[in-house]
Amino acid sequence: IVELPLDGRNPAELVYVAPGAVNGATSTNAIGLPGSGSGFPNQGQETAASVNGSRMGGVYYMLDGVTHMDNYFQNANPFPNPDATQEFRVITNNFDAQYGYTSGAVVSIATRSGTNQWHGVGFEFLRNNVLNATDFFTHIADPLKRNQFGGSVGGPIKHDKLFVFGNYQATIEHIAIASSSDFVPNNNMLNGDFSQIPLQLHDPQGVPYPNNQIPVSSFSPISLKLEQGLPKTSDPNGNVVLTGRNQINNGQEFTVRSDYYFTDKQHISVRYFWDDFNRPAFNGNGNYLNSDRSALARSNNGDFDYTWSIRPNLVNDFRLGYNRINSTTTPGLVQPDGKPLSPEALGANIPQL
């Protein structure tokens, strides 16, 4: 798995190599739609596969036999990185009786455990514009800066009995958001001159404004205060260019697992996986249109497993699992003076019910 070209080192994406599987989140008719406050907003974190035409929720994801899905979008939660992955399996038809819930496919990933020898590994994957060649036409290097680093270690606490394994990975990513455009009231309109509009404007009583000249004194104080956070332009159509900016996407994860063998027939294992994603809000530097909300998401998955091989044709497997995702988002809108933007800050008197 380590040698395979996985974007973002997410082994769950191996489902795309199965016959009939496509990335449902990037297809023309996307099945996994991103949303604020739900799911992992970072591309490459969640996996939304469509197998044999299945819809959202048509693929069932498991981690060590425990449900590992985003309960809002019914996609896969982030999985441990390849260094913590022991086994990957995709079942697309003829499910066993132990599987249910889905019609498309079952994706099962098992985490790595310790062995009778201590082994460890450290890694770092670096992408940086200093090392990138420039584009042939623009002569500009890709501004992406990405550091993905971590390590894992595993071994025996007691030979042939008790084993432990631990893994950690951190991702620090800075990407460039391209410039864009938007429309705002131009300088003439802010001075009450709407003569550039080919339609006759009227006041609330239906009286036409002469030559579409509106007295500035009649402007709403709330609107004028809101306008202070918008860019200025003399363009007849009010078109403004929003400059590009840097976006930060940071993530970290860890996996810990312990295995104990009472005998060669009885075995218990305890495993915990934690993943955290953090995209800070951007205040737009006083420009409301250039601001961006934050994206914070955390996934937790725990597993306890007791396996007892009673006899060669009878095995008892008791499994207890815990799966949780918590994601929040906060707006990046702040006033030019740095204070949070709100209706009250603009002078609006909204009654509270």
Side-chain angles (χ1 to χ4, degrees):
I1 294 177
V2 176
E3 302 299 327
L4 294 175
L6 295 174
D7 182 22
R9 287 171 50 83
N10 180 11
E13 292 191 353
L14 290 174
V15 66
Y16 300 142
V17 304
V22 297
N23 188 343
T26 59
S27 62
T28 303
N29 298 312
I31 65 166
L33 303 178
S36 300
S38 299
F40 271 71
N42 189 26
Q43 185 177 3
Q45 286 266 30
E46 280 195 350
T47 306
S50 172
V51 179
N52 297 328
S54 64
R55 296 173 61 86
M56 183 189 303
V59 178
Y60 183 42
Y61 296 89
M62 297 189 303
L63 180 61
D64 290 326
V66 174
T67 299
H68 192 57
M69 299 182 66
D70 176 349
N71 54 12
Y72 187 90
F73 287 112
Q74 295 295 291
N75 299 331
N77 273 344
F79 275 88
N81 62 76
D83 292 318
T85 301
Q86 178 67 33
E87 179 182 329
F88 179 88
R89 187 183 183 195
V90 180
I91 309 172
T92 58
N93 52 51
N94 295 329
F95 301 158
D96 294 337
Q98 62 180 312
Y99 303 115
Y101 181 80
T102 182
S103 59
V106 174
V107 177
S108 177
I109 292 181
T111 55
R112 184 168 293 177
S113 61
T115 63
N116 267 327
Q117 291 183 336
W118 283 99
H119 293 279
V121 62
F123 63 88
E124 177 168 4
F125 295 89
L126 171 66
R127 293 183 63 182
N128 193 290
N129 60 338
V130 177
L131 306 176
N132 293 338
T134 59
D135 184 89
F136 180 82
F137 297 99
T138 65
H139 305 291
I140 300 175
D142 184 353
L144 172 66
K145 295 181 180 180
R146 195 168 196 255
N147 290 71
Q148 201 165 37
F149 57 91
S152 58
V153 63
I157 301 298
K158 184 177 181 180
H159 278 268
D160 298 324
K161 286 290 185 179
L162 180 61
F163 308 93
V164 294
F165 175 82
N167 172 272
Y168 174 80
Q169 174 178 285
T171 303
I172 301 175
E173 180 182 75
H174 291 212
I175 62 175
I177 302 298
S179 60
S180 59
S181 62
D182 214 323
F183 295 90
V184 298
N186 61 31
N187 295 333
N188 290 338
M189 295 176 180
L190 296 177
N191 291 320
D193 182 4
F194 290 80
S195 59
Q196 297 170 338
I197 297 179
L199 300 177
Q200 177 62 54
L201 302 181
H202 301 76
D203 66 12
Q205 286 72 41
V207 178
Y209 288 110
N211 197 28
N212 279 348
Q213 302 291 319
I214 302 178
V216 177
S217 59
S218 65
F219 286 178
S220 166
I222 299 175
S223 299
L224 290 175
K225 198 163 187 178
L226 179 64
E227 182 274 328
Q228 294 176 7
L230 299 178
K232 307 299 185 292
T233 179
S234 57
D235 182 84
N237 297 317
N239 182 258
V240 292
V241 176
L242 305 179
T243 58
R245 59 179 179 84
N246 182 50
Q247 184 182 83
I248 301 174
N249 296 314
N250 292 337
Q252 53 182 334
E253 64 170 72
F254 71 80
T255 304
V256 290
R257 172 171 173 157
S258 178
D259 294 79
Y260 184 76
Y261 291 82
F262 296 99
T263 66
D264 59 349
K265 294 184 178 180
Q266 295 189 63
H267 161 236
I268 65 171
S269 68
V270 179
R271 188 265 310 147
Y272 180 73
F273 171 68
W274 178 88
D275 188 289
D276 182 81
F277 173 77
N278 184 354
R279 177 186 295 163
F282 177 63
N283 62 16
N285 295 325
N287 183 350
Y288 297 152
L289 300 181
N290 219 20
S291 65
D292 192 13
R293 62 177 56 245
S294 69
L296 311 172
R298 179 170 295 176
S299 171
N300 305 266
N301 188 284
D303 168 65
F304 171 83
D305 178 48
Y306 170 66
T307 304
W308 179 20
S309 299
I310 302 174
R311 55 177 185 264
N313 62 347
L314 180 62
V315 177
N316 175 69
D317 182 63
F318 173 79
R319 195 175 298 270
L320 181 65
Y322 172 79
N323 179 53
R324 180 176 183 266
I325 181 173
N326 180 33
S327 55
T328 59
T329 180
T330 56
L333 288 171
V334 296
Q335 301 179 79
D337 58 7
K339 297 180 180 180
L341 180 67
S342 65
E344 293 78 10
L346 296 175
N349 184 16
I350 301 178
Q352 302 295 321
L353 300 179

